Amino acid sequence: MSENLNPFAIAQAQLDEAAAILQLDPDMHAFLREPMREFHFSIPVRMDDDSTKTFRGYRVQYNDARGPAKGGIRFHPDETIDTIRALAAWMTWKASVLDIPLGGGKGGIICNPRELSRGELERLSRGYMRAMARYVGGTQDVPAPDVNTNPQIMAWMLDEYELIVGHREPGVITGKPIELGGSQGRGPATALGGLITIRETAKLKGMDLKGMTCAIQGYGNVGSNAHQLAHDMFGLNVVAISDEFGGIYNVNGLDPAQTLPYSRRNGSLKGFPGSDVISNSDLLELDVDILIPAAIENQLTSANADRIKAKIIAELANGPTTPDADNILNAKGCYIIPDFLCNAGGVTVSYFEMVQNSYQFYWDEVLVQQRLDQKMTLAFHAVHNMAQAKNVDNRVAAYLVAVDRVAQAVRLRGWV
Ligand code: GLU
């Protein structure tokens, strides 16, 4: 039977496994299986040729028992409500496993931002915020960047919100430009958090990371920063990187000082001098020590898991590994740092951004990094200790830690 690749079905199946081990009350389990609130709306946008195109937008506030919903907004042509539901559920578990006082949410627009002019993109971003303005805010739901969105888009959304409410309220959205109340260190935060979990894994295993080989799938904000930091922090030998157009490979390593400006200049890594072409799927199967999926969901599935050779998989993407692939990889002894732990650095610094916005006093980058390190290290060991104590893999352990905390908050509120 072919595998079910619906991300929300996957997120629910993962929760079901944790609920059974936690012996979660069935009423609580049923409550946590579904999003608390969803918004589906149309965004009419005046296009440059004076026609009007209607886009579909979504926001899912999955659970806000521990604090306001938190999570990014994706712009993607293949966006579906079930993908956003899954991503919103994973945000809930992510904020909980990091023990930050936030719930989980996610939003998206079905669109291809590459086909939009800058003006169209701005009107679309403002339209999204107009539709959601009544339902977001520092005490309700706080959006942020995700796939194909960036600080400029956050700035337009912030401005639209503030025009509507009539006052400054930077904490309504995170991942903003520094000039508008963004946090130092937010850009590389997701990648840095992931590398901290790789560092802790290496400590546990007594490994020296210097010179170890690494492949990175995805070269957006997360993948490109991971390349830079893997090189700078640990001297990892990154032999392959890729973007949505394909990948490049060099057995002697790829220098971020060369590839980053090249990719920025050309809009892709294609044709980078002194490298071989490699497809996104072949990159995943390379014989490397560390594999970093940093693109989108469903990359490691039952179709390729038995050919994956990496010993450590650091999931900087959300949902890159399906449950069937999980079983195959765990049976092979592969050490997986699960997504909502590995990639939690972004939302953690988003939380720091909210804190700085609310007390109007800003931290320097060193302080942000120290506090991020502290949070990531603590969460990593909470998950590792749970995995040891219950004899389960890291993903299940992360669920046990996260779901238990959310369930306690729901119970204390008397909802279930
Ligand atoms: N989009 C990022 C994530 O998936 C960050 C979310 C945020 O900062 O709220 O974790």
Side-chain angles (χ1 to χ4, degrees):
M1 212 177 77
S2 73
E3 204 180 357
N4 184 351
L5 294 180
N6 178 319
F8 189 47
I10 290 175
Q12 288 184 316
Q14 291 167 338
L15 172 68
D16 295 347
E17 191 177 351
I21 299 171
L22 286 169
Q23 296 183 316
L24 205 63
D25 165 57
D27 296 346
M28 179 68 75
H29 182 192
F31 179 72
L32 296 179
R33 272 187 119 244
E34 298 292 335
M36 289 177 61
R37 270 182 300 283
E38 289 187 356
F39 303 84
H40 300 213
F41 45 90
S42 293
I43 311 170
V45 174
R46 182 65 52 86
M47 305 302 277
D48 291 349
D49 66 2
D50 219 29
S51 66
T52 299
K53 192 167 170 193
T54 301
F55 294 85
R56 205 67 196 144
Y58 305 103
R59 183 80 183 164
V60 174
Q61 295 171 350
Y62 194 86
N63 187 294
D64 59 6
R66 285 175 46 88
K70 184 83 193 81
I73 299 171
R74 311 203 316 172
F75 285 4
H76 203 279
D78 303 326
E79 201 57 88
T80 71
I81 183 64
D82 270 345
T83 312
I84 297 176
R85 288 180 179 130
L87 291 160
W90 291 327
M91 283 309 304
T92 307
W93 315 135
K94 192 181 303 190
S96 176
V97 89
L98 262 288
D99 208 8
I100 54 182
L102 297 169
K106 196 72 120 196
I109 303 178
I110 305 173
C111 69
N112 185 351
R114 288 182 194 280
E115 289 170 0
L116 301 174
S117 71
R118 188 178 161 88
E120 289 166 345
L121 193 61
E122 174 175 350
R123 293 191 289 279
L124 178 63
S125 305
R126 288 182 182 277
Y128 185 93
M129 185 49 96
R130 264 199 309 282
M132 281 304 299
R134 270 166 290 172
Y135 313 108
V136 296
T139 57
Q140 296 177 76
D141 179 10
V142 182
D146 200 284
V147 173
N148 287 332
T149 52
N150 56 34
Q152 175 61 73
I153 291 173
M154 299 304 109
W156 288 325
M157 289 186 175
L158 170 71
D159 187 62
E160 189 67 24
Y161 180 82
E162 291 182 336
L163 286 171
I164 292 167
V165 298
H167 60 255
R168 293 282 171 257
E169 196 182 319
V172 68
I173 203 159
T174 61
K176 300 179 291 289
I178 306 274
E179 295 80 353
L180 297 181
S183 177
Q184 296 289 344
R186 176 61 184 84
T190 307
L192 177 58
L195 287 176
I196 290 167
T197 65
I198 293 175
R199 179 194 71 201
E200 293 305 303
T201 303
K203 275 192 208 157
L204 284 179
K205 293 180 169 289
M207 292 173 352
D208 180 7
L209 289 169
K210 191 160 174 48
M212 281 192 141
T213 53
C214 176
I216 303 174
Q217 185 199 42
Y219 219 59
N221 171 50
V222 178
S224 61
N225 275 299
H227 184 196
Q228 183 78 61
L229 293 171
H231 183 270
D232 297 354
M233 287 167 68
F234 306 130
L236 279 172
N237 182 21
V238 179
V239 295
I241 54 179
S242 68
D243 56 33
E244 62 188 286
F245 307 106
I248 57 173
Y249 173 80
N250 184 332
V251 70
N252 298 316
L254 295 158
D255 182 0
Q258 310 286 326
T259 57
L260 282 162
Y262 182 89
S263 143
R264 233 173 275 133
R265 231 180 11 249
N266 297 284
S268 112
L269 293 161
K270 235 188 173 120
F272 179 74
S275 68
D276 296 326
V277 174
I278 188 168
S279 70
N280 258 301
S281 51
D282 287 346
L283 177 145
L284 299 172
E285 297 174 19
L286 283 173
D287 190 2
V288 288
D289 298 305
I290 302 172
L291 174 64
I292 305 184
I296 51 170
E297 57 282 352
N298 291 338
Q299 297 304 298
L300 305 174
T301 68
S302 59
N304 62 2
D306 56 348
R307 294 193 300 277
I308 303 300
K309 299 173 196 72
K311 290 154 212 75
I312 296 173
I313 299 178
E315 296 181 338
L316 275 177
N318 287 309
T321 310
T322 63
D324 284 2
D326 250 338
N327 292 336
I328 297 167
L329 294 166
N330 282 315
K332 289 208 299 190
C334 181
Y335 190 91
I336 301 178
I337 312 172
D339 53 0
F340 68 76
L341 169 65
C342 188
N343 71 32
V347 74
T348 302
V349 175
S350 276
Y351 162 59
F352 296 160
E353 185 172 329
M354 290 169 67
V355 171
Q356 295 169 78
N357 291 152
S358 72
Y359 76 172
Q360 288 268 33
F361 185 73
Y362 289 81
W363 312 346
D364 62 30
E365 188 162 6
V366 176
L367 186 59
V368 170
Q369 287 168 350
Q370 278 168 356
R371 290 189 163 151
L372 173 63
D373 198 327
Q374 215 172 21
K375 279 282 191 199
M376 292 300 304
T377 305
L378 214 65
F380 178 89
H381 289 284
V383 170
H384 175 73
N385 293 342
M386 180 64 88
Q388 301 285 19
K390 300 277 184 193
N391 196 22
V392 293
D393 64 61
N394 291 332
R395 191 181 318 279
V396 174
Y399 266 95
L400 296 181
V401 173
V403 172
D404 187 47
R405 287 179 184 157
V406 176
Q408 281 184 45
V410 169
R411 204 172 297 121
L412 285 165
R413 286 181 183 280
W415 290 350
V416 177

